[in-house]
């Protein structure tokens, strides 16, 4: 099938000596992702180094957008697989990692856990302690504490993620709850397993004090915390990436609810000489 002439025209600009022209052409090509067809593969196999690099940049951007769209879909779905969603959260931050590697990491952990009896809170607490899993305070804004890959590799992470992971390896129908600021697993019989207190078992308070969390709530919580990590570290790239995932924005639309510099300041009209002296023109 003949390629759209406009696509050909945009492709021809990718090796322009003016960087801004090439960048604008790439942005327009991304807006026509569905029309690229084989052009992307041809770019990545080009003998021209610059075109080859542009092709890989386009592919990376498209992959990130697809991940973001898939994550948005899961957050909006009535039901979501917890571990599948946690892998998506991980990939919003560690975007050079691959899903198959993370799935393999989880599979290895599940196989290790399957060798142990995990039917009661006592058995689950023993396994998590023996495995060396340690909870970090929820106020510790470190992205590795909210991404499943580093948690499984380093055996440390946020109490929320550790509670979720522990709940995912047991066949028992424990439910994740938040009680007076602590995340825990509730056995339905009045007992809690609390990761933040060295996997201590304790009596649950009244049911009215237990806030029950489903997988979507946890995924949003982890994503929002990663967003805070990005803002705290002035990471322009991740602020935009995670904000787009949480807001359901899949393209390059302006996120005008974000402050400058994540959203450009409004352009001011040309002065007519009547402005008050000293007025700040920016937001």
């Amino acid at each position: 099938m003949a390629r759209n002439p406009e696509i050909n025209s945009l492709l021809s600009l990718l090796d322009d000596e003016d960087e801004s022209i090439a960048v604008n052409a790439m942005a327009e090509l991304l807006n026509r992702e569905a029309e690229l067809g084989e052009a992307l593969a041809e770019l990545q196999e080009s003998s021209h180094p610059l075109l080859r690099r542009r092709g890989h940049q386009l592919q990376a951007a498209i992959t990130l957008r697809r991940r973001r769209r898939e994550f948005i879909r899961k957050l909006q779905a009535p039901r979501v697989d917890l571990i599948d969603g946690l892998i998506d959260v991980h990939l919003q931050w560690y975007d050079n990692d691959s899903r198959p590697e993370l799935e393999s990491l989880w599979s290895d952990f599940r196989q290790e856990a399957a060798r142990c009896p995990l039917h009661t809170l006592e058995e689950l607490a023993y396994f998590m302690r023996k495995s060396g899993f340690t909870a970090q305070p929820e106020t510790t804004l470190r992205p590795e504490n909210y991404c499943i890959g580093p948690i499984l590799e380093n055996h440390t992470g946020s109490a929320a993620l550790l509670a979720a992971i522990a709940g995912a390896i047991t066949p028992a129908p424990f439910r994740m709850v938040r009680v007076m600021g602590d995340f825990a697993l509730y056995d339905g019989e009045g007992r809690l397993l609390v990761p933040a207190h060295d996997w201590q078992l304790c009596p649950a308070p009244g049911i009215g004090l237990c806030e029950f969390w489903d997988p979507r709530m946890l995924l949003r919580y982890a994503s929002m915390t990663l967003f805070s990590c990005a803002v705290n570290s002035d990471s322009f790239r991740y602020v935009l990436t995670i904000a787009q995932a949480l807001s359901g924005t899949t393209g390059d639309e302006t996120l005008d609810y974000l402050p400058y510099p994540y959203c450009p300041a409004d352009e001011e009209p040309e002065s007519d000489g009547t402005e008050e002296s000293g007025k700040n023109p920016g937001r």
Side-chain angles (χ1 to χ4, degrees):
M1 185 170 63
R3 188 178 297 160
N4 186 327
E6 293 183 9
I7 297 293
N8 285 332
S9 178
L10 290 168
L11 292 171
S12 70
L13 298 176
L14 293 182
D15 61 350
D16 197 287
E17 294 181 0
D18 187 333
E19 182 80 6
S20 64
I21 291 177
V23 168
N24 288 333
M26 290 178 67
E28 185 58 34
L29 286 168
L30 286 173
N31 289 334
R32 298 165 176 252
E33 176 186 337
E35 301 176 53
L36 289 181
E38 297 179 357
L40 196 56
E42 293 173 7
L43 278 176
Q44 294 179 70
E45 296 171 3
S46 172
S47 59
H48 192 309
L50 182 56
L51 285 179
R52 196 163 57 247
R53 179 162 65 88
R54 298 290 191 208
H56 286 296
Q57 289 174 330
L58 282 168
Q59 182 61 67
I62 288 171
T63 299
L64 289 177
R65 286 184 171 197
R66 288 175 179 169
R67 283 179 181 173
R68 203 153 55 224
R69 286 195 295 265
E70 178 64 14
F71 185 50
I72 292 166
R73 184 189 66 77
K74 289 174 182 175
L75 287 180
Q76 295 172 343
R79 297 180 64 86
V80 60
D81 180 81
L82 174 64
I83 300 304
D84 190 45
L86 288 177
I87 290 175
D88 280 323
V89 170
H90 174 112
L91 292 172
Q92 299 303 313
W93 188 274
Y94 296 105
D95 49 22
N96 287 324
D97 289 353
S98 74
R99 175 174 287 276
E101 289 175 351
L102 294 169
E103 290 173 343
S104 177
L105 188 63
W106 173 251
S107 177
D108 290 344
F109 177 63
R110 281 293 302 268
Q111 289 178 22
E112 178 186 350
R115 300 190 185 103
C116 304
L118 300 172
H119 299 281
T120 66
L121 288 182
E122 288 86 355
E123 291 172 341
L124 190 57
Y126 175 78
F127 172 79
M128 297 302 284
R129 281 198 211 100
K130 183 180 178 181
S131 299
F133 282 97
T134 305
Q136 297 297 316
E138 296 300 315
T139 53
T140 303
L141 290 179
R142 298 181 63 88
E144 61 267 27
N145 290 339
Y146 295 86
C147 294
I148 191 170
I151 291 174
L152 293 179
E153 290 177 335
N154 303 327
H155 290 198
T156 186
S158 79
L161 271 289
L162 290 184
I165 288 170
I169 60 172
T170 174
F174 302 143
R175 297 184 64 186
M176 183 172 171
V177 296
R178 193 173 192 181
V179 183
M180 294 180 287
D182 279 329
F183 288 95
L185 290 178
Y186 177 64
D187 68 355
E189 298 179 1
R191 298 190 307 161
L192 299 173
L193 176 59
V194 189
H197 299 296
D198 193 28
W199 301 97
Q200 177 183 356
L201 274 71
C202 63
I207 195 70
L209 296 176
C210 294
E211 180 185 0
F212 289 87
W213 279 46
D214 62 27
R216 286 196 307 169
M217 292 170 68
L218 180 71
L219 297 182
R220 286 191 176 277
Y221 174 76
S223 298
M224 285 299 300
T225 306
L226 287 180
F227 180 78
S228 298
C229 291
V231 172
N232 192 50
S233 62
D234 288 331
S235 177
F236 185 90
R237 172 187 178 189
Y238 292 117
V239 166
L240 291 178
T241 295
I242 299 172
Q244 286 176 325
L246 288 169
S247 64
T249 305
T250 57
D252 291 327
E253 297 92 335
T254 300
L255 302 178
D256 52 11
Y257 53 83
L258 292 178
Y260 180 84
Y262 308 113
C263 177
D266 292 334
E267 294 183 4
E268 291 293 313
E270 293 185 5
S271 171
D272 60 2
T274 61
E275 292 92 332
E276 296 178 11
S277 176
K279 184 177 180 181
N280 184 356
R283 277 193 190 179

